[in-house]
Amino acid sequence: MRGIMSLTVLAIIVLAGFYEAGVLLSTGSEGETIVIRGAGSSFLQPQLEAWIQGFMRYDGKIIVEYQSVGSGAGQKQFFQGLADFAGSDPPLSHDDWEKYRGKVLQLPVILGAVAVVYNIPDIPKSIHLNLTGEILAGIYKGTINYWDDPKIKSINPGIADKLPHREIIAVHRSDASGTTQIFTTFLRKSAPSIWPKDLVGKTIDWPVDKTGRGVGGKGNPGVTATILSTPYSIGYVELAYALEGNLGLAAIRNKDGVFVLPSPRTIKAAARHALESGLMPSSPEDDFSGELNAIIYAGGSDSYPITAFSHIIIWAKYNSEAKAEALRLFIQWIYTEGLNYIVEGYVAVPPEVARLGLQASSLMEG
Amino acid sequence: MPPGMGGRSDKLFFYALLPFAAVTVALFLLLFKVLVGNSLPIFLREGFGFIESSVWRPSETNPQAEYYGMLAPILGTFYSSIVALLLALPASISLTILIDEYAPHGLRGHLVNMVEIMAGLPTVLYGLWGAYILAPALKSHVMQPLNTYLGMIPLFSCTPTTPSTILTAGVVLAIMVTPFMTSIIREAYESVPLIYREAALSIGAARYEYVGIMMSIIKPAVLASILLGFGRAAGETIAVSMTIGNSFSISPCLFKPGYTISSLIADQFGNAGFYHYMTYALYGAGFLLLLIGLALNTLGLYLLVAWRRRLEAR
């Protein structure tokens, strides 16, 4: 009998729990507030959180939520209708854009850069190693094996005698990531004879792994931690992680042959040159799949060559008028007020791109 | 109807429990179905190549070019787990003997509690500790000396360059499965009937002879703990992912980075949707893991049950 009693009590507790949850949910949708759900890129998350907080302080009635699940999962949730907008580092692929042509709008919301960082105890952090796409491609291919390789020495004459005869450990992402896509696109564009086309993507078969000198770390934190704990290693991370100052930061040779460090100035310059090249789409309805190609290894003597846009993807038409209006307000806010809420490590888009974003909010229908 | 079911309240109790049991069974069957259904495409497409080759070739633009060969993670799973077991087995046997034979009465309870707590700690803690503290220490105090003095043995033949290696993951796993294996071995050790103990002591066996006799009695339970411990080690994701180096390489040397099936799935699932075949490949890898785990667990449990029956029959 006691068994039944306790089971009954348990059942009541469980049912009460469901009821409670139901009540909470229904007040959420009946009230005046509107909830917009986004999902996607983890790179975008810190910046989006800053925007969401700023926006919700400005407009109390709209609640914006963002889940950092990765660009791929974000796009999937968006197309399945589970999220109202997707945050995605890479724009839609040409095929996906073709499939949803006219129905989706893509907005470049922020600029970011991939920094090349290293851990060489012999070199002080105030000195920045010079590196080129060819050398990085050689390292990740497993053909440049030692830090005192003549190719590295020749472009670093000031510290040539300090470069040690130590094996280079090449650290890369172990999870699929937009960062890897940006980095490998740069390798392909800057060293086409060394880096083949099929080694460009979010996750690839790293040739250096086969030599036993390649190591994968999960996420930007994982890569940073691995480099920190591995002397004589090199890796690539989002700029914000490189700015923490624990690692050496490399200056990368751009298309015009100048070695540049990532900074708001050099990142913006890359975006400007990409716009001037005419390869960038001019409307949010256009195909953005060629955009990475335009901005990475862009021309201009002051451009940082491993720069990319990160995007928000929205529908051109939403079922609910209220939701469309709320999203429109949020996007307009991002491109106006939001410019004052840029988190360190990110760079605001140039005015030409902001105009394109504002244009999107007028294309939206409820 | 099961035996002993007479009264109305008994029946009610039985029906009240039924849905929960049914849900558990249904969930397992569903899981199996989903795994088989989702991994079928990759097995049909690649056949044995999926387990025989070591390739990770995703392609977003051209699905025809995609190819996934899981040999490196499969070998890495076995390799790191075997290293873990080789270290964990002597540790858990010693711990059992220490707790049951040597520890003073007051300390015993504390030791047992500590082992149980260690078995229940979140695995990410072991991963963090393994990656930041254990790995660098292992590299400079274990790997480098082994390589310098015993470099002629293939296992130690490569110069250790990174702290994240098969050995590091193996040691972290060993620390994680030792408490688990200890509880299995200890349970068996303590359930040996008193007659056997008295018999051993009455013939005048010394402490270590007595322990030897006891260990030979519980041999099947030790074997079972190895198999169950292997299942644990092979299924661990986060702690391994943080310490093994996540590299698609195959090498007999312990000081090279590697991969395991579990850490591969944990790493890649988030963005697998970008590719046509990757999700299937990850399900396929999961299915392999399930098969390995199922086989070893079944064998382990079978050995345990058979041994208990034999003890009772005597």
Side-chain angles (χ1 to χ4, degrees):
Chain A
M1 218 40 211
R2 266 182 67 191
I4 293 190
M5 281 293 283
S6 48
L7 263 177
T8 321
V9 171
L10 188 77
I12 290 171
I13 293 172
V14 170
L15 284 177
F18 280 129
Y19 179 73
E20 193 99 14
V23 169
L24 278 176
L25 281 177
S26 56
T27 46
S29 53
E30 272 171 22
E32 265 186 87
T33 52
I34 299 159
V35 180
I36 312 174
R37 271 210 64 226
S41 156
S42 49
F43 165 66
L44 256 180
Q45 194 198 14
Q47 179 59 58
L48 259 179
E49 281 308 327
W51 277 336
I52 288 171
Q53 274 178 21
F55 175 68
M56 284 176 27
R57 220 176 301 137
Y58 160 86
D59 183 312
K61 284 183 191 152
I62 302 168
I63 295 174
V64 188
E65 289 168 357
Y66 184 73
Q67 272 188 328
S68 136
V69 290
S71 298
Q75 286 192 14
K76 212 171 186 177
Q77 288 195 14
F78 172 70
F79 286 125
Q80 285 172 348
L82 299 170
D84 301 317
F85 69 89
S88 179
D89 300 335
L92 291 180
S93 68
H94 179 73
D95 289 353
D96 276 340
W97 174 77
E98 200 70 68
K99 197 165 146 195
Y100 297 99
R101 192 174 186 159
K103 291 184 194 153
V104 290
L105 304 173
Q106 304 187 70
L107 315 166
V109 283
I110 198 84
L111 277 163
V114 174
V116 175
V117 286
Y118 52 85
N119 177 354
I120 309 176
D122 319 51
I123 296 175
K125 294 201 177 54
S126 53
I127 296 174
H128 298 286
L129 198 65
N130 285 338
L131 289 173
T132 66
E134 285 96 351
I135 289 174
L136 287 168
I139 289 173
Y140 279 92
K141 242 194 150 181
T143 53
I144 294 179
N145 301 333
Y146 290 95
W147 280 111
D148 61 350
D149 191 282
K151 289 200 182 87
I152 304 180
K153 273 184 158 172
S154 70
I155 52 166
N156 291 286
I159 47 168
D161 53 327
K162 277 191 185 150
L163 287 165
H165 186 69
R166 293 284 200 148
E167 275 189 301
I168 306 174
I169 305 298
V171 186
H172 53 75
R173 290 284 288 265
S174 63
D175 49 336
S177 125
T179 314
T180 300
Q181 179 161 31
I182 292 164
F183 183 66
T184 51
T185 305
F186 165 70
L187 294 182
R188 171 73 187 156
K189 282 202 78 177
S190 59
S193 58
I194 306 173
W195 200 257
K197 208 172 117 212
D198 54 336
L199 289 183
V200 174
K202 295 182 184 67
T203 163
I204 63 159
D205 200 358
W206 293 97
V208 70
D209 278 9
K210 305 282 182 279
T211 69
R213 285 182 293 102
V215 179
K218 188 167 158 84
N220 284 305
V223 171
T224 313
T226 308
I227 299 172
L228 269 173
S229 66
T230 312
Y232 306 106
S233 61
I234 189 169
Y236 57 93
V237 288
E238 298 287 359
L239 181 56
Y241 289 83
L243 293 179
E244 282 165 16
N246 306 317
L247 296 168
L249 180 62
I252 308 294
R253 190 168 70 190
N254 65 20
K255 200 175 184 178
D256 287 15
V258 184
F259 290 95
V260 255
L261 285 169
S263 75
R265 189 181 58 82
T266 58
I267 292 167
K268 257 193 189 139
R272 215 169 35 243
H273 286 287
L275 286 168
E276 281 165 10
S277 71
L279 295 168
M280 288 281 294
S282 55
S283 155
E285 286 177 302
D286 286 352
D287 178 10
F288 275 64
S289 61
E291 177 208 72
L292 215 50
N293 211 22
I295 189 165
I296 287 180
Y297 209 52
S301 61
D302 51 351
S303 301
Y304 183 70
I306 329 179
T307 300
F309 285 105
S310 200
H311 308 79
I312 282 183
I313 302 171
I314 55 172
W315 294 111
K317 190 171 164 48
Y318 284 83
N319 290 332
S320 142
E321 173 84 43
K323 192 164 262 181
E325 180 59 28
L327 203 51
R328 187 181 298 137
L329 282 173
F330 180 52
I331 286 162
Q332 281 170 353
W333 188 90
I334 286 181
Y335 283 111
T336 50
E337 280 290 306
L339 298 176
N340 304 320
Y341 287 78
I342 305 295
V343 176
E344 198 190 351
Y346 300 83
V347 177
V349 294
E352 297 89 330
V353 175
R355 266 199 293 282
L356 181 140
L358 289 170
Q359 187 192 338
S361 62
S362 62
L363 284 169
M364 281 175 68
E365 295 170 44
Chain B
M1 183 162 292
M5 295 265 302
R8 223 176 93 85
S9 54
D10 266 357
K11 221 184 275 175
L12 236 142
F13 183 52
F14 170 71
Y15 287 127
L17 292 179
L18 203 58
F20 297 100
V23 164
T24 311
V25 174
L27 275 178
F28 181 77
L29 290 178
L30 205 65
L31 179 86
F32 201 79
K33 184 183 164 265
V34 167
L35 271 179
V36 172
N38 279 309
S39 48
L40 212 56
I42 200 80
F43 287 120
L44 290 177
R45 180 168 187 253
E46 296 182 3
F48 279 108
F50 184 63
I51 41 180
E52 274 175 356
S53 60
S54 182
V55 194
W56 182 258
R57 200 194 309 138
S59 170
E60 262 180 89
T61 44
N62 179 13
Q64 287 316 310
E66 278 183 71
Y67 200 89
Y68 304 97
M70 293 293 161
L71 190 63
I74 292 172
L75 290 179
T77 305
F78 278 100
Y79 207 10
S80 57
S81 303
I82 288 170
V83 170
L85 291 177
L86 286 177
L87 297 170
L89 186 64
S92 9
I93 292 178
S94 314
L95 200 55
T96 303
I97 298 171
L98 185 81
I99 291 176
D100 278 343
E101 299 295 339
Y102 289 93
H105 221 71
L107 195 66
R108 225 181 111 176
H110 294 297
L111 274 177
V112 172
N113 278 342
M114 222 165 81
V115 170
E116 309 270 290
I117 290 171
M118 272 186 77
L121 278 183
T123 58
V124 65
L125 289 182
Y126 288 99
L128 275 174
W129 174 79
Y132 290 100
I133 294 163
L134 179 74
L138 268 182
K139 190 189 161 204
S140 44
H141 300 303
V142 176
M143 299 188 219
Q144 258 145 15
L146 277 177
N147 175 249
T148 317
Y149 299 112
L150 295 171
M152 55 282 190
I153 305 172
L155 285 179
F156 311 133
S157 59
C158 55
T159 329
T161 44
T162 106
S164 323
T165 62
I166 300 262
L167 181 75
T168 316
V171 173
V172 171
L173 283 174
I175 294 166
M176 292 171 68
V177 297
T178 299
F180 174 68
M181 287 170 67
T182 306
S183 2
I184 298 176
I185 298 176
R186 207 171 54 79
E187 197 220 333
Y189 193 88
E190 285 170 6
S191 66
V192 174
L194 207 62
I195 330 168
Y196 290 82
R197 298 170 184 266
E198 284 173 344
L201 290 171
S202 67
I203 56 169
R207 193 53 97 58
Y208 81 92
E209 287 169 328
Y210 163 72
V211 168
I213 294 169
M214 294 287 286
M215 288 318 293
S216 72
I217 296 175
I218 63 161
K219 220 185 268 165
V222 174
L223 198 61
S225 84
I226 296 176
L227 294 173
L228 294 173
F230 184 94
R232 268 279 164 106
E236 177 51 38
T237 50
I238 188 75
V240 173
S241 172
M242 289 168 88
T243 49
I244 200 166
N246 304 315
S247 168
F248 246 78
S249 63
I250 298 174
S251 160
C253 180
L254 282 172
F255 309 148
K256 292 264 182 197
Y259 230 138
T260 69
I261 299 177
S262 305
S263 57
L264 178 77
I265 296 175
D267 276 350
Q268 300 292 355
F269 210 81
N271 273 330
F274 275 126
Y275 305 90
H276 195 264
Y277 290 105
M278 193 191 287
T279 314
Y280 300 129
L282 293 178
Y283 271 111
F287 185 61
L288 292 179
L289 198 64
L290 182 76
L291 287 186
I292 297 171
L294 217 55
L296 291 173
N297 273 302
T298 315
L299 194 62
L301 289 174
Y302 170 78
L303 283 174
L304 259 184
V305 169
W307 171 75
R308 271 201 201 115
R309 225 175 258 149
R310 232 180 51 205
L311 259 192
E312 281 159 15
R314 275 195 206 167

